[in-house]
Amino acid sequence: DVKVTQSSRYLVKRTGEKVFLECVQDMDHENMFWYRQDPGLGLRLIYFSYDVKMKEKGDIPEGYSVSREKKERFSLILESASTNQTSMYLCASIGGGSFSYNSPLHFGNGTRLTVT
Amino acid sequence: AQRVTQPEKLLSVFKGAPVELKCNYSYSGSPELFWYVQYSRQRLQLLLRHISRESIKGFTADLNKGETSFHLKKPFAQEEDSAMYYCALGTEGNTGKLIFGQGTTLQVKP
């Protein structure tokens, strides 16, 4: 069974802090994603990565960056946290190849970040 | 623009009543459509995808390209169906990237 593990379930940070959200998957998946989940807005893609050291911006990348140094780990970085980044953050992974949609997107449990 | 719209934030029905969660999409190409579900305190998971044309937990969804819709239906709702449901659109098969709708909370009352 695929496991996508997010290191923290809850985080409370202060405005201006640098914040790291970590995600690890154990299925050798090529593609990994960071979404934020907000009531009434659904899931919005922040960044995704389709290979080590490769990344692409999603729909709302402003204020975020990512790092993928190893295939199993995808980190989301808030360079200077702001209150409007208070949200639930979901990491997901899926195998690559010619037709990824043959497999489901596997999600982590989420990290609820509060920026005060 | 590629978009998924779920017009209802909350759908509340009684146990045994029929359920229809609406989903409309905007995409000029050939879409891949999915329904994902999040039960309380659980992670988001795939419920069904249009291409498999299967029924999962009594739910079905038919892709209507003419109306650009992919509504989720169940003839008789159960209390355990209470959850958040997201419709999702896939347009990039080689990356697995999905565009999600706003989500609909289904509340099934006893």
Side-chain angles (χ1 to χ4, degrees):
Chain A
D1 203 20
V2 176
K3 258 256 172 67
V4 179
T5 304
Q6 294 183 231
S7 54
S8 304
R9 188 77 176 104
Y10 298 95
L11 271 180
V12 180
K13 297 291 181 181
R14 293 192 181 276
T15 302
E17 277 193 79
K18 190 168 186 175
V19 182
F20 292 85
L21 303 184
E22 307 287 346
C23 175
V24 176
Q25 50 93 4
D26 65 358
M27 279 302 289
D28 203 36
H29 283 167
E30 287 82 1
N31 302 332
M32 297 187 73
F33 306 83
W34 275 106
Y35 286 90
R36 65 178 278 178
Q37 182 182 31
D38 298 289
L41 297 176
L43 274 71
R44 293 178 291 165
L45 182 64
I46 305 171
Y47 265 98
F48 70 102
S49 168
Y50 49 90
D51 203 350
V52 174
K53 297 193 187 294
M54 306 300 284
K55 61 186 179 185
E56 279 198 24
K57 292 181 180 179
D59 300 316
I60 52 163
E62 297 79 17
Y64 304 93
S65 62
V66 290
S67 171
R68 189 141 180 229
E69 297 295 319
K70 293 185 178 180
K71 193 175 187 180
E72 67 270 18
R73 185 181 296 271
F74 191 34
S75 304
L76 180 69
I77 304 156
L78 286 67
E79 297 290 343
S80 177
S82 63
T83 54
N84 62 12
Q85 292 178 309
T86 291
S87 186
M88 173 69 87
Y89 290 87
L90 298 181
C91 175
S93 75
I94 194 169
S98 60
F99 201 68
S100 290
Y101 295 135
N102 281 330
S103 303
L105 199 55
H106 292 272
F107 284 89
N109 269 327
T111 297
R112 183 164 293 284
L113 172 68
T114 303
V115 183
T116 61
Chain B
Q2 299 158 6
R3 190 184 303 124
V4 176
T5 303
Q6 294 178 249
E8 302 137 330
K9 270 191 178 179
L10 172 67
L11 184 63
S12 187
V13 302
F14 285 101
K15 177 182 170 182
V19 169
E20 183 179 51
L21 286 79
K22 293 188 178 355
C23 171
N24 288 91
Y25 67 91
S26 173
Y27 178 53
S28 56
S30 186
E32 289 283 331
L33 272 301
F34 306 83
W35 278 97
Y36 277 77
V37 61
Q38 189 170 30
Y39 300 103
S40 179
R41 293 187 172 80
Q42 294 187 28
R43 62 187 70 200
L44 200 57
Q45 59 187 289
L46 177 67
L47 180 62
L48 54 80
R49 54 186 291 224
H50 89 272
I51 204 165
S52 56
R53 301 186 66 83
E54 56 193 342
S55 173
I56 304 290
K57 300 186 178 184
F59 285 98
T60 58
D62 290 317
L63 176 59
N64 185 323
K65 289 189 177 180
E67 295 183 359
T68 60
S69 68
F70 187 57
H71 303 327
L72 184 68
K73 299 177 185 178
K74 185 169 182 176
F76 307 104
Q78 303 298 314
E79 289 181 68
E80 55 265 30
D81 296 329
S82 295
M84 173 70 90
Y85 291 81
Y86 290 98
C87 182
L89 167 67
T91 62
E92 298 179 22
N94 60 333
T95 66
K97 188 173 116 175
L98 292 177
I99 300 164
F100 285 84
Q102 302 91 328
T104 299
T105 299
L106 175 63
Q107 184 183 78
V108 181
K109 297 177 284 190

